[in-house]
Amino acid sequence: MATISVDKTTIEDKEDVVEEFNIFVSGVGGQGALTAAGIIARAAKNAGHNVLAAETHGMAQRGGSVSVHLRIGSKVYAPLIPLGRAHVLFSLEPVEAVRYIEYASKDGVAIVNTKPLVPPSVNLGSLSYPSIEQIAEIIKKFVDKVIMIDAYELAVEAGNPLTNNVVMLGAMSHAVNLPITIEELKKSIEATVPEKAIEVNMKAFQLGYDYAEKYMREL
Amino acid sequence: MSLRDVVKDNPGEEVFLLGNEAIARGFIEGKLKVGSAYPGTPSSEITDTLAQACGKLRGRYDFMFEYSTNEKVAFEVAAGASMAGQRAVTIMKHVGVNVAADSLFSFVYMGAKGGFVLVSADDPSSHSSQNEQDNRWYGKSAYIPIIEPSTVQEGYNLAKESFEISETLQLPVMFRTVTRLSHASGIIRLGELPEETFKKVRFDKDPREFVLVPAHARLGKLKLLKKMKKAREMAEKSNLNFIIEGDSKVGILTGGAGYTYALEAIKYMDLDASVLKITTMNPLPENKMADFMAGLDKLIVVEELDPYLEWHAKAIAKDANPDIEIHGKLSGDFPMEFEYTADVVEKGIASSLGISPKVDFDSLLSKSEEVKKILPPRPPVLCPGCPHTASFFAIKRATGGDAVYPSDIGCYTLGVNPPLSTVDITLCMGGGAGTANGLSYVLDQDIIVTVGDSTFFHACIPALIDAVYNNNKFVLVVLDNRTTAMTGHQPHPGTGEKACGQIGKFIPIEDVVKGLGVDFVEVVNPYNLDKMTEVIERAKAHDRVAVVVARRACAILWNRERKAKGIKIKPFVVTENCNRCLTCVTDFTCPALVLVGDQIQIDESLCAGCGVCFQVCPSGAIVSKATMEGR
């Protein structure tokens, strides 16, 4: 295809070995999904890649479903990931992984936190919260490689439950062949979190990494 | 993605910005002097960024920025600055342009002295809007040139150049963006951060330009037509409209967000179609379009919302290439409604070419729809501690649910959902009180209108005057949460704070209402359910329009304030006195109240400590944790 740099105002093709790498991040407002996406985006940019991101705004406040389309590479043009073309489905909440399952690529990887956050709609009683086993079964129908991880428990072990997003990043850095190095990801975490929280976040990252290593060995 | 990057003084540096932040930076580099806005998603981050940058850059680069009462006023603020030869930008969401339209349609007759840019942020798929109107039509009906970027970098570039385009044409210019561009983040390369102090000027009087009496208006129209002719010539020559040469008899005509999806489809489908990308949506480069179509057998039009380019292409093809096949929305290959996504465009192009898309999107979607049936929904809800929940609960209690509840635009629109169910009508800004006037003539029921504080100032006041003047009877409850909450907590006249942080004049809503001649005006804290209910009951019994100001700060602001002051939130808990009547979740609702098995629990990490559920519980089973622990 012709280069898309006919005009100064349009997309410039960068010298970028990665043409397209898509990560779909989902979760519940307040869980740190936006922060996780920001960490990956910053790392990718610092690694010299072109980066595009699209997040859900609008009426969703704390407690609502949150999603971020993250696209890395020289041949990405639109901010939204096409259906079935997310290399990674990264979900901080089990039900929120299924909610966006159509974005996952069959030969991609799903990394899913097993800690459920029950929505208030369950209070009114029309639908119950599905079991984690049921959710894992569904995801496996759409994605070949699925990693279920209790990121909440590992985050508590690291010293702060709020680091569950960084636990997941650690797991992803082992389980996925990312266009970003582990060092770049760690640097981006350091630049994003408050200084006093760097240590606990590094621990959380390592716990996630180790978990994925063990999980993959056992597969 | 931060203000720090937006105000960086490091030309050439690449920064990762939200589309709206990049657009704001473009306007700063383009040297805006006056900015004005009424907040509205998806435009809000442009205005938030300019408001913050205006304080941050003071002394280095000075410009004025204000939150205006509504979009019409915002438009006129910018128009005034332009009339005095200064560069001005006014920012609003798509439906805001309707509010400003009266000023817009005549301001074009005057033309712009200083560069004038109207940002219209459209919302295909109505992500956070009451409709998905396509504002490109304003270009045709109001005779205003329109430019529309497709990418974050282009948004930044065009914002920067827009003042110059306006000054060259001596016309106001519309800058159209859509949700997916405004809320996408990408990398832009920074230009020069300007350095300039603010200088006041003298007004150059010219009644033939600025006083639109009929004789001047007729001259204005002639001048406008001449300017639009020049705009058309510019559009023909501009490299903002460009062709990517392909190697087949198929061409794609596209613009805006559609352009990026078209590029994705070309990549995945391995097509060698030529692409004509349109940036000047009005006037269109008709000759360029004609030349493009002349050599083609088939034209595929990729654009969101209305078949705007498609209709024009059809008209142009009549002379340029009558045999060309044109595929788009009118041919049924692409949908008329909602925003495009990569799969929608891939499917539309495949259908136009008579082939199948590489991925079977339909079966993927139906397969995923099937498994999603078991998922509990997670719709947006009113926050824990939201004073609107308390207000709606009290309104329902005072009316027994037997009343009609017109409402308005804001977080409180969520009162439509059960179990609150106290929003029956939401039309547009100020539409609640407006329709209540008409309803009051024909209904034999009580009418309780709700409106937010910012919306009250925006468009509710004329409707309230109408009620006072005509003796129309209803209750207006102003949900005064001390901010414009839904769009990200912007200040307004009822807070007395100005956009760039300085103190303005605080205008109490109850004073305005009294001044309008309303003789029942009460201010009440909605957290006090009994009091709030009693006031609504009395307001209902009043024989004319009655106004209740339910005043309590937005829970998000309250949480922020407590955090800043180091005050710990005191959560409430459910004791063993709970008899599982479930009133707190079936009549009342709060995200912090969760049903675990058949037991109600309060999620302490979510509880705002407002104590409203404590008042709702019939068996006194909800208490403050501090009380229970004997503190």
Side-chain angles (χ1 to χ4, degrees), chain B residues 436-457:
Chain B
N437 281 299
L439 291 168
S440 74
Y441 286 119
V442 294
L443 295 186
D444 62 356
Q445 289 162 287
D446 288 323
I447 302 167
I448 316 283
V449 184
T450 44
V451 66
D453 41 352
S454 188
T455 310
F456 171 82
F457 287 103

Side-chain angles (χ1 to χ4, degrees), chain B residues 454-465:
Chain B
S454 188
T455 310
F456 171 82
F457 287 103
H458 178 287
C460 184
I461 294 171
L464 184 57
I465 294 174

Side-chain angles (χ1 to χ4, degrees), chain A residues 144-214:
Chain A
D144 292 339
K145 200 159 130 188
V146 182
I147 299 177
M148 305 295 287
I149 174 171
D150 191 341
Y152 182 80
E153 193 191 276
L154 292 172
V156 170
E157 190 185 328
N160 186 346
L162 288 175
T163 60
N164 64 356
N165 54 354
V166 172
V167 170
M168 303 265 303
L169 289 175
M172 180 175 72
S173 76
H174 182 273
V176 179
N177 190 15
L178 291 172
I180 313 160
T181 65
I182 290 175
E183 282 320 303
E184 281 159 352
L185 257 183
K186 283 186 174 172
K187 255 191 222 158
S188 179
I189 294 168
E190 283 177 9
T192 305
V193 304
E195 207 175 315
K196 58 178 191 223
I198 290 178
E199 204 184 315
V200 57
N201 274 284
M202 286 303 133
K203 197 171 166 199
F205 187 89
Q206 194 57 45
L207 284 171
Y209 183 92
D210 294 346
Y211 178 88
E213 191 174 39
K214 188 161 161 271

Side-chain angles (χ1 to χ4, degrees), chain B residues 184-198:
Chain B
S185 301
I187 297 169
I188 65 155
R189 191 171 291 136
L190 295 176
E192 296 275 343
L193 188 70
E195 213 170 342
E196 214 169 279
T197 52
F198 203 94

